[in-house]
Amino acid sequence: YILHNYLTGKLLHQYRCCECQNIKQIEEVFWDISLHMSDKNQPQYEFQNLVKNLLQDEELKDEDNLYFCETCNAKSKLTIKSTRVIQLPKYLIVVLNRFYFDKQELRKKKIMSKVDVPTEIMADMFIQNQQDEDVYNLYACVIHKGGSSEFGHYLCLGRAAQQHQNAEQIEGDTKMELEIEKSQKWVMFDDSNITEYENGEQCISILDQRSETCLLYTSDAADDLLCVDLGGRRIIKKK
C-alpha cells in the first residue's frame, strides 16, 4: 500500500476508430514513465522533447498492430491512439530506454546519445492544463557505464540527507523519529566505493557521460508531508 500510494500515477489511453469515430478510453496505473529514443544516431536529445514524443498521437495501421473496434466488430484499418498523463505520483521514476534490439545483428545495443537531464521539472510538462504548479526535483539517478547492454556496470548517484534522531516516550514505549533536512551534498554509490560531492554542479558533469538510465524525482507534495508511516516507524520531515 505504501509503495502504491507514493510511487504510482495514472495514464489515460484513448483509441479512436477512424471508420466509425467511436472512442474508447482505458486508464492504466504506472510505476514509471519510459522515454524512448527513436533515432539511435541522434547525438543529443532534449528531455522535454522525449516527453512530447511519449504523448504524441500514434496511428495504428500496420497489419500486425490493428485495433479491434467493438462498435465495428472488426479490426479497424486506422485507429488514432493518444496517451495522456492524468495523475503523477509523489515520487516520479523516469526510465530512459537506452537499449534496443538490432534486427540485423540479432543482439541488443545501447544508445549513447546525450540527454539533457533537468534537475528540476514542472508537472505541466506531463499534464496538460495542470492547475497546481508542482515542482519535481531530481534526487537520485541510476547510471549504466559501458557501451553495450551485454556488459557494463551500474552505479547510483543520490542526494544526501542530513538526519537527526530523536527518542520520544509514548505510553511506556520508545518511538524513534528521524528529522530529515534537504542537503546540497550528493553521494556516488559504486559497489563498496562511496564518494561525496559538495554540490549538484559537480554531478552535472557525471550526468553528461551519456550513461543515465533511470531518474528519480521527488515532488513538492512529497516534501511537504510531515509524517510518513513506514510499518510502525514514523519518518518526520522538516519543511
Side-chain angles (χ1 to χ4, degrees):
Y1 172 78
I2 295 175
L3 293 179
H4 192 278
N5 188 32
Y6 287 92
L7 297 179
T8 61
K10 288 184 180 180
L11 295 174
L12 179 66
H13 301 292
Q14 180 175 285
Y15 298 85
R16 179 171 62 85
C17 175
C18 292
E19 297 186 40
C20 68
Q21 302 303 317
N22 179 61
I23 296 177
K24 182 175 181 180
Q25 294 183 338
I26 301 176
E27 284 192 9
E28 176 190 357
V29 174
F30 71 85
W31 291 84
D32 60 68
I33 289 181
S34 297
L35 303 180
H36 297 268
M37 305 177 197
S38 56
D39 185 1
K40 59 182 180 296
N41 296 318
Q42 186 169 326
Q44 183 171 351
Y45 281 93
E46 295 292 333
F47 183 88
Q48 187 169 359
N49 290 337
L50 291 175
V51 175
K52 288 181 178 179
N53 291 339
L54 170 71
L55 304 178
Q56 192 174 31
D57 290 350
E58 177 185 1
E59 292 185 350
L60 305 180
K61 57 183 179 181
D62 296 333
E63 283 295 330
D64 58 348
N65 196 30
L66 294 179
Y67 170 74
F68 184 86
C69 177
E70 297 176 354
T71 302
C72 298
N73 196 28
K75 290 185 177 182
S76 174
K77 294 181 179 179
L78 177 61
T79 302
I80 305 299
K81 177 187 175 183
S82 61
T83 299
R84 300 289 181 265
V85 179
I86 58 176
Q87 180 181 322
L88 285 171
K90 298 178 180 66
Y91 295 92
L92 176 63
I93 300 175
V94 179
V95 177
L96 301 179
N97 287 326
R98 290 188 172 275
F99 305 116
Y100 71 99
F101 185 75
D102 191 313
K103 295 182 180 180
Q104 294 183 342
E105 299 186 17
L106 298 178
R107 66 185 182 94
K108 281 189 175 182
K109 289 186 176 181
K110 181 181 177 181
I111 299 175
M112 299 298 295
S113 303
K114 179 181 176 181
V115 178
D116 181 21
V117 176
T119 57
E120 181 180 287
I121 57 178
M122 302 294 293
D124 59 7
M125 181 183 294
F126 293 92
I127 303 180
Q128 295 180 348
N129 302 321
Q130 174 74 1
Q131 299 297 326
D132 299 328
E133 297 182 355
D134 288 338
V135 179
Y136 283 77
N137 293 287
L138 182 69
Y139 73 92
C141 176
V142 178
I143 298 173
H144 176 266
K145 302 193 72 173
S148 171
S149 63
E150 299 176 350
F151 60 85
H153 178 65
Y154 282 98
L155 46 89
C156 182
L157 182 66
R159 179 180 293 176
Q162 297 176 348
Q163 299 183 359
H164 307 281
Q165 193 174 69
N166 299 319
E168 180 183 354
Q169 196 77 17
I170 299 179
E171 296 180 358
D173 296 328
T174 300
K175 179 175 291 186
M176 301 306 297
E177 294 183 350
L178 292 177
E179 293 182 348
I180 300 178
E181 297 177 345
K182 285 187 177 179
S183 171
Q184 293 298 319
K185 288 186 177 181
W186 286 73
V187 182
M188 174 72 77
F189 298 92
D190 184 357
D191 289 340
S192 60
N193 299 319
I194 299 176
T195 306
E196 286 192 359
Y197 298 89
E198 289 299 324
N199 55 65
E201 293 181 359
Q202 292 177 301
C203 301
I204 298 300
S205 60
I206 299 175
L207 295 178
D208 283 343
Q209 295 178 2
R210 301 173 172 84
S211 299
E212 63 280 348
T213 58
C214 184
L215 309 172
L216 294 90
Y217 290 88
T218 179
S219 66
D220 286 344
D223 288 339
D224 288 341
L225 292 175
L226 294 179
C227 178
V228 181
D229 187 1
L230 299 178
R233 185 184 185 194
R234 297 174 66 210
I235 306 297
I236 307 299
K237 290 187 175 183
K238 281 190 174 182
K239 287 188 178 181

